[in-house]
Amino acid sequence: GSYTVTFKFDGIETSGNQRVAKFEETASDSHGGRVESPTIILVNPETGVLVDKLAETVIPTGSKPTDPLVPVHSELKLK
């Protein structure tokens, strides 16, 4: 199946000595399946460059709460 991905701007934080814009990415499907924990995306707010280009999350294999989760790895690219 296919998933709809939603991004939410969560604010600007300081991580060590670097300011980062924090976004949450969540996914859901048309059958009620959704990712329980959002993927966190960090971007340098001055340059727009991703701080971490690799993301890992898990998605359900079906719409039932008992359906197993599958790990998903992705590389993020901004245009």
Side-chain angles (χ1 to χ4, degrees):
S2 63
Y3 279 81
T4 300
V5 178
T6 304
F7 295 91
K8 175 186 154 200
F9 175 64
D10 220 16
I12 295 181
E13 301 177 354
T14 301
S15 177
N17 62 353
Q18 183 179 22
R19 287 174 14 108
V20 293
K22 182 178 175 183
F23 295 85
E24 291 184 2
E25 174 193 34
T26 55
S28 60
D29 68 13
S30 61
H31 305 291
R34 65 184 184 94
V35 174
E36 293 298 323
S37 300
T39 300
I40 304 300
I41 301 169
L42 302 176
V43 177
N44 181 317
E46 282 80 29
T47 64
V49 174
L50 286 163
V51 174
D52 188 3
K53 294 184 180 182
L54 298 177
E56 182 177 326
T57 190
V58 292
I59 60 171
T61 56
S63 61
K64 298 176 191 162
T66 55
D67 288 337
L69 300 174
V70 176
V72 175
H73 306 275
S74 59
E75 181 178 356
L76 304 169
K77 295 180 181 181
L78 296 178
K79 290 186 177 187

